[in-house]
Structure formats: structure tokens, C-alpha cells
Amino acid sequence: MDLKLLGEVFVTLLVITDPPGMMPIFVALTGPLPARDRNRAAWQAVALALGVIVVFAVAGQTLLDYLHVDLPALQAAGGLLLVLVALELLTGKGDEPSGQSTSNVALVPLGTPLLAGPGAIVATMLFVQQAEGLADYTAIAAGIISVMIAVWIVLRFSGVIVKILRPGGIEVLTRIAGLLLAAIAVQLIADAVAAFVRHFAHTV
């Protein structure tokens, strides 16, 4: 196994997924839930993110080509999804999630596009395209799994923060998380628009 490549994959994906930055958003979305549901949301989000990243690592370019979808379009779609979630957090509509919404929160926006977003997908696809032989593929797989384990650990123990903040603190954190999510969404959409403009400029 190429340990240097493993380290590159681990550091790159860890920076992109940003577990410390994910924690306030996770707490804002799952804070009112019982501890068992919150823990379930953590592993569901990580499992989905791992699945999405693996699928795109194996067949990402083929899938996008078949659907005639460019990466900027995927990026813009992720931004629009985050805008919807951010509006719910800012307006307080997501303050009382039902039991049914636990998995929904885990899948969107936590699993994707926050954890398995355009950045993580593109980075993984590039690593796979540059890989040579089984040793490199093994290192990439080990790096991806290690990052997902690290993310799960951070989310799993976010319950400590929930106990410290109490309901009032969680409500304040929810509004802040909504603002942060809105900023991330706008940045994703802006980057996608810029990519489309650059592509159009090159084709003209």
C-alpha cells in the first residue's frame, strides 16, 4: 500500500468534509432528537456519504457522461438543496423534527451534499483516475474509509455539545448553522455559474 497516497487522500477528504465545521450543523439539525435517533442519523449520514463517494469513484465519470451532466450542474444542484435546508433552519421550520425526518436529515443535507458533496466527489474521482495498480486503489479505499470513521466519531459524540447547550443554545446554534449553510449554498452555486461561464467562453 502506498502510505503517501493514503495520507494525501485522508488529508484532502478530511479538509473537504470538515468534521469540526459539520458538528454545529449536525447539532442544529438533530439537537431536539432523542440520543438514539441522533446516533442513528450520524451513522446513516456517514454510510450514505461513503456509498456516494464509492459509486462516483468507481463509475462517476461514466455515470455523468451517460446522463449528460457536467460537474458544475451537480454542484449547483447541491447548492440549491442546501438553500432549502438553510431556509428551514433560519425560519425555524426545522425546530421540531418528527421521527420520520431523522433519516431524511441524515440523507439530505448531511450525507449529501455536505459530506459527499461536489468537492469530495471530484477529489475522489481525480485520485482514482491517477491511480496505478491495486496498491494505489487500496490506499485510496483505506483513505476514504478512514475519513468516514473520523467523521462518524465527531458526529457520534456531538451529544456532549447538545447536553451543554440546552434547548436555548441549540436554537441559537440552529440560526447560526442556517446562515452558514446559506453561505455554503451561495458559494456552491456561484462556483458552478463561474464554471459554466468559463466553459462557454472556451467553446465560443
Side-chain angles (χ1 to χ4, degrees):
M1 186 188 297
D2 188 341
L3 295 179
K4 182 174 180 292
L5 178 59
L6 189 156
E8 289 177 359
V9 174
F10 179 80
V11 172
T12 301
L13 291 182
L14 193 69
V15 170
I16 292 173
T17 54
D18 188 19
M22 275 289 299
M23 186 180 289
I25 297 171
F26 179 78
V27 171
L29 290 170
T30 64
L33 295 172
R36 187 180 67 177
D37 289 344
R38 191 166 55 247
N39 295 339
R40 188 172 67 203
W43 74 255
Q44 284 178 338
V46 170
L48 175 68
L50 179 61
V52 170
I53 289 175
V54 168
V55 167
F56 275 93
V58 174
Q61 196 59 54
T62 304
L63 182 61
L64 292 179
D65 290 343
Y66 177 76
L67 296 173
H68 303 291
V69 173
D70 293 327
L71 281 172
L74 190 67
Q75 195 168 359
L80 291 174
L81 279 173
L82 289 185
V83 166
L84 295 176
V85 177
L87 288 175
E88 284 190 0
L89 292 177
L90 287 170
T91 57
K93 291 182 180 178
D95 285 350
E96 297 179 0
S98 62
Q100 185 180 0
S101 70
T102 305
S103 59
N104 295 341
V105 166
L107 303 182
V108 180
L110 293 174
T112 182
L114 285 176
L115 289 178
I121 288 171
V122 172
T124 305
M125 288 171 61
L126 289 176
F127 279 124
V128 170
Q129 289 172 6
Q130 296 166 3
E132 299 176 358
L134 182 60
D136 285 356
Y137 291 124
T138 304
I140 293 171
I144 293 171
I145 292 172
S146 299
V147 168
M148 291 297 110
I149 291 174
V151 171
W152 177 79
I153 290 173
V154 171
L155 298 185
R156 171 65 177 77
F157 292 100
S158 62
V160 177
I161 294 180
V162 173
K163 291 179 182 177
I164 294 173
L165 290 178
R166 306 290 183 178
I170 290 175
E171 186 173 345
V172 172
L173 189 62
T174 298
R175 303 297 181 262
I176 295 173
L179 188 60
L180 292 174
L181 268 183
I184 294 171
V186 170
Q187 187 64 56
L188 280 174
I189 296 171
D191 290 344
V193 171
F196 277 123
V197 170
R198 284 195 300 270
H199 177 71
F200 179 75
H202 285 309
T203 55
V204 172

